């Protein structure tokens, strides 16, 4: 089977897992701009999708391992102690590709705040390696096919869609998750709030409330 046929088959597998389009879901009160609130011990918030399915995002970042661009197996635990921006994407996803320059900017601008961007390409390895020869990705990159889908599912993804970005504090707690294309103002709002959590000036509950309200105030971005 050639690479194109395999890619079509893989895309169909993603659809079968529940995707109705790439980047079409939004986690928010109005289903337009995303901010998910992980479940706490006394609450079970519903994460809205276009199918109104309930998804439970874990409180703490799950542990998983995937291979990097040099074919070395890497554990997400290697970045313990840092706040993470974990971005699930694929080469065939146009919103994912549009995010890359912004993610590169975040990687450079936020390093001094102990924030690291991790890209996770859920795609065929040869396609990813070919793509990054043309488009530079200077932040850590992990690659997976089914194991990449499994990693995304570990974050509570009931229905698959890309791009999907998770933000954690430096203790590994999930502060926010965004399903759909991420924009600079949204990322800055979330990361400024994560920094406040790390500094102890906001609790996780306060941070999640602030992010939800802030994203709603920013309004809907056109694709």
């Amino acid at each position: 089977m050639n690479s194109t046929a395999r890619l079509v088959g893989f895309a169909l597998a993603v659809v079968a897992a529940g995707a109705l389009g790439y980047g079409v879901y939004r986690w928010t009160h109005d289903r337009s701009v995303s901010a998910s609130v992980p479940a706490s011990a006394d609450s079970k918030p519903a994460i809205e999708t276009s199918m109104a399915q309930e998804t439970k995002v874990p409180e703490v970042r799950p542990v998983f391992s995937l291979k990097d661009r040099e074919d070395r197996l890497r554990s997400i635990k290697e970045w313990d102690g840092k706040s993470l921006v974990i971005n699930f994407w694929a080469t065939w996803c146009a919103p994912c590709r549009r995010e890359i320059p912004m993610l590169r900017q975040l990687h450079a601008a936020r390093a001094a705040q102990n924030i690291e961007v991790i890209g996770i390409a859920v795609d065929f390895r040869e396609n990813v390696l070919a793509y990054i020869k043309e488009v530079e990705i200077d932040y850590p990159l992990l690659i997976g096919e089914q194991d990449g889908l499994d990693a995304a599912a570990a974050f509570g993804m009931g229905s698959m869609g890309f791009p999907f970005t998770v933000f954690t504090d430096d203790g590994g707690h999930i502060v926010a998750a965004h399903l759909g294309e991420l924009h600079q103002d949204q990322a800055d709002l979330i990361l400024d709030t994560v920094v406040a959590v790390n500094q102890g000036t906001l609790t996780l509950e306060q941070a999640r409330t602030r992010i939800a309200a802030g994203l709603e105030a920013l309004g809907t971005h056109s694709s």
Side-chain angles (χ1 to χ4, degrees):
M1 182 181 295
N2 63 33
S3 177
T4 300
R6 289 175 59 218
L7 179 57
V8 171
F10 184 65
L12 289 174
V14 174
V15 172
L20 298 180
Y22 308 120
V24 299
Y25 300 109
R26 296 293 186 270
W27 294 2
T28 183
H29 299 298
D30 63 5
R31 301 187 185 182
S32 60
V33 179
S34 70
S36 72
V37 181
S40 62
D42 57 359
S43 66
K44 298 177 67 176
I47 308 304
E48 294 184 1
T49 71
S50 60
M51 296 180 66
Q53 295 178 340
E54 183 173 322
T55 302
K56 183 177 180 181
V57 177
E59 182 76 17
V60 178
R61 182 204 70 206
V63 175
F64 58 91
S65 297
L66 294 168
K67 289 188 175 181
D68 64 13
R69 67 188 84 194
E70 283 81 33
D71 206 32
R72 299 173 300 183
L73 189 64
R74 307 284 296 274
S75 170
I76 196 67
K77 287 181 65 62
E78 292 181 33
W79 293 279
D80 281 356
K82 291 181 175 289
S83 297
L84 299 183
V85 180
I86 304 172
N87 176 253
F88 289 89
W89 68 288
T91 61
W92 36 260
C93 164
C96 303
R97 297 194 299 268
R98 289 196 297 265
E99 287 181 333
I100 290 174
M102 185 269 297
L103 292 170
R104 291 184 58 196
Q105 190 277 333
L106 289 180
H107 171 68
R110 297 281 182 166
Q113 295 175 311
N114 200 34
I115 294 171
E116 181 65 274
V117 176
I118 308 289
I120 299 181
V122 185
D123 204 336
F124 294 117
R125 181 175 186 84
E126 60 266 32
N127 293 349
V128 177
L129 296 179
Y131 183 75
I132 63 176
K133 287 180 180 178
E134 302 176 7
V135 177
E136 182 182 0
I137 294 179
D138 56 0
Y139 45 85
L141 176 64
L142 306 179
I143 305 169
E145 294 179 23
Q146 182 59 52
D147 49 351
L149 289 172
D150 292 343
F155 284 93
M157 286 290 292
S159 295
M160 188 56 61
F162 297 123
F164 170 50
T165 308
V166 178
F167 298 81
T168 75
D169 67 7
D170 58 13
H173 301 94
I174 296 176
V175 181
H178 181 104
L179 186 51
E181 185 174 356
L182 182 68
H183 297 270
Q184 186 73 54
D185 54 357
Q186 297 168 333
D188 286 338
L189 167 68
I190 295 170
L191 289 175
D192 288 346
T193 307
V194 168
V195 170
V197 171
N198 292 339
Q199 293 173 341
T201 59
L202 284 178
T203 66
L204 283 169
E205 182 178 357
Q206 290 169 337
R208 293 162 183 163
T209 299
R210 174 180 290 187
I211 290 168
L215 290 177
E216 186 171 1
L218 286 175
T220 305
H221 285 271
S222 60
S223 299

